[in-house]
Amino acid sequence: MIASVGAVVTAAALLAGAHTAGAAPVPSAGPAPVATHEVEYFDGPGAEPRHKVVPAEAPARIARHRAPAAAAPAATAAAVTAVQETGPVSGRLDLVVMGDGYTAAQQADFRADAQATLDSVFAIEPYASYRGLFNIWLVDTASAESGISGDPTAGVVRNTALSSYFFCEDTERLLCLDTSKVTAYANQAPASDIVFVIANSAKYGGAGYSFPTPPAGASYHGVATMSSDNAQSYLIGAHELGHSIGNLADEYQYAGYGAYPYPSSDSVNISVTPDLGATKWYRWLGEQDPTGSVIGTYEGGDYYETGVYRPTSTSLMRTLASTEFNHVGREAMIKGFYAYADAVTSTVPSGTRVRANEKLSVRLAPVTGLSGLKLTWYVDGKPVTRATGRLSVTPAELGATRAGRRVTATVTDTTAAVRDPAVRAAATNSLSWQVR
Ligand SMILES: [Zn+2]
């Protein structure tokens, strides 16, 4: 649970490595400070995104309508279903999907809506190629009423499991919720790195909550809210994962913000210099890009209009009118995937001692498309090329018969979507054993 009263927990660093100039001031909260988060929202599929500081919990007029499940979250056992479980939670990116405004009788609707959202998001690269690095969990959240608050108008209040509501902070398309309730449900999944909340609504809207450090009691780094029946809402989730998995900065600017006030940017997709060779994406310069641009330096980004540059004219990190990450974004996403997930796992724990005739079987994550996994075996650091690609070997077969010799299985992703050697290193996983 988030201990909210008396603690201001504004997520000031909304975007890791980015600046938060888009933030509105913390609203006056009366006598006691109110726990808040900074969120990003979209007035429409093609509209300029915005940021706002919102309460971590729903306003009293909405929150007092508590679903029985959320009233005592610690004691609730929600039904959890694996949409896909491709590996151990320690070696996978665990995405949790939950609904709000679905009654107990509407759980089949929720599952269908969740599947449609996931299919849309995972049609986008590099999610498509790397879906095999994810476990995806559905958590059922039965609401007392169907639909959510603020739909269709601001005065509508419904009793739902997560207290989702449009018109958050008087902004129609901003879809907020009670993050402590999200945490209570997310914690019932085997693991939760990222959460999607699908609101049972046809009204366009959503929000992105990004947490460089998970909120109290939670393990997730991001929550994206989306409406279920609007065909464009899934792009809000796809964009928000760009922040919470890829650490990407926004590539849009606000009219009137003027010149970039910072001497540098930590974000891989933002540069303070138009000097092509000095950008962080120099390895991609001149390439035709999935967004339709040629990679270069385009002025405007990270909320400012001048003195700051982005890699492509448009992208999913600039507008939801684009459904593609640029090459720079794809590479950052792949780096992020591997920060959470390993491409190689084994039932024989890495670091243990094994007999020379013991079978060492490894499993490669079921990645596809852009990815290209290469498995190499080593004995004491020397490659055994005749064993390349073999999923099961014994140390003796590799020539490692004496006690103390070290056997290593290394998987490198040779994908052409990665050019930075540091990212390639991050996309390399190894397991090791010692012969006893
Ligand atoms: Zn954004």
Side-chain angles (χ1 to χ4, degrees):
M1 292 287 290
I2 291 175
S4 61
V5 177
V8 176
V9 291
T10 302
L14 177 71
L15 318 173
H19 302 286
T20 54
V26 177
S28 167
V34 174
T36 58
H37 299 303
E38 185 180 327
V39 299
E40 181 177 33
Y41 68 98
F42 305 82
D43 277 331
E48 184 176 80
R50 288 281 171 194
H51 287 93
K52 207 157 218 172
V53 174
V54 305
E57 300 191 356
R61 73 188 172 83
I62 292 167
R64 70 164 184 265
H65 292 263
R66 288 181 183 275
T76 305
V80 177
T81 318
V83 175
Q84 66 175 49
E85 185 176 3
T86 63
V89 296
S90 58
R92 287 294 179 269
L93 217 165
D94 289 277
L95 170 62
V96 173
V97 186
M98 60 184 81
D100 198 24
Y102 296 86
T103 64
Q106 292 177 316
Q107 294 304 305
D109 292 351
F110 160 62
R111 283 154 197 276
D113 291 344
Q115 195 63 58
T117 298
L118 290 168
D119 287 348
S120 297
V121 169
F122 282 98
I124 298 170
E125 289 290 6
Y127 301 121
S129 294
Y130 289 90
R131 185 169 179 158
L133 290 179
F134 287 73
N135 289 333
I136 304 177
W137 310 100
L138 293 192
V139 176
D140 287 352
T141 60
S143 291
E145 290 182 72
S146 178
I148 62 162
S149 298
D151 180 14
T153 54
V156 173
V157 174
R158 292 193 180 90
N159 180 357
T160 67
L162 305 176
S163 300
S164 298
Y165 59 107
F166 287 103
F167 290 96
C168 177
E169 295 294 296
D170 298 322
T171 302
E172 181 168 7
R173 305 295 175 179
L174 177 48
L175 177 52
C176 295
L177 40 58
D178 186 322
T179 50
S180 65
K181 292 176 183 175
V182 171
T183 299
Y185 281 102
N187 286 347
Q188 299 187 44
S192 57
D193 296 317
I194 301 290
V195 179
F196 277 2
V197 175
I198 299 173
N200 186 14
S201 168
K203 189 181 178 81
Y204 180 85
Y209 296 72
S210 195
F211 304 101
T213 304
S219 58
Y220 54 75
H221 282 82
V223 175
T225 70
M226 292 160 272
S227 48
S228 59
D229 296 335
N230 185 287
Q232 301 299 316
S233 282
Y234 76 94
L235 289 167
I236 296 169
H239 174 100
E240 294 307 332
L241 293 192
H243 296 310
S244 43
I245 297 178
N247 283 325
L248 289 166
D250 283 310
E251 293 176 10
Y252 55 82
Q253 69 249 33
Y254 291 131
Y257 264 51
Y260 200 62
Y262 309 106
S264 65
S265 165
D266 292 339
S267 301
V268 296
N269 59 334
I270 293 296
S271 174
V272 295
T273 170
D275 172 5
L276 299 174
T279 61
K280 280 158 271 188
W281 55 86
Y282 69 89
R283 294 179 184 89
W284 292 103
L285 289 176
E287 292 286 347
Q288 183 65 43
D289 189 78
T291 62
S293 297
V294 171
I295 302 251
T297 47
Y298 296 77
E299 192 163 34
D302 203 6
Y303 317 121
Y304 290 86
E305 297 171 284
T306 59
V308 61
Y309 303 86
R310 61 187 192 275
T312 51
S313 174
T314 188
S315 81
L316 182 54
M317 295 314 293
R318 179 166 168 86
T319 169
L320 300 191
S322 172
T323 58
E324 296 282 356
F325 289 101
N326 53 38
H327 279 308
V328 180
R330 285 183 174 188
E331 183 168 10
M333 294 304 290
I334 292 168
K335 182 184 181 190
F337 296 151
Y338 283 113
Y340 287 93
D342 299 325
V344 59
T345 54
S346 174
T347 51
V348 183
S350 182
T352 57
R353 293 160 68 84
V354 297
R355 298 184 315 276
N357 62 350
E358 186 167 341
K359 214 53 146 172
L360 295 173
S361 296
V362 299
R363 232 180 118 215
L364 302 189
V367 291
T368 58
L370 297 176
S371 68
L373 300 187
K374 185 181 179 199
L375 168 62
T376 309
W377 291 91
Y378 296 85
V379 172
D380 295 335
K382 292 202 183 94
V384 183
T385 51
R386 64 191 147 80
T388 295
R390 285 185 58 183
L391 295 174
S392 190
V393 299
T394 65
E397 285 170 346
L398 301 177
T401 50
R402 284 204 315 278
R405 303 198 74 176
R406 175 164 294 276
V407 173
T408 304
T410 296
V411 170
T412 298
D413 191 336
T414 61
T415 175
V418 166
R419 291 192 174 180
D420 182 344
V423 177
R424 185 80 63 198
T428 300
N429 302 130
S430 291
L431 303 173
S432 275
W433 303 269
Q434 195 167 37
V435 177
R436 63 180 157 94

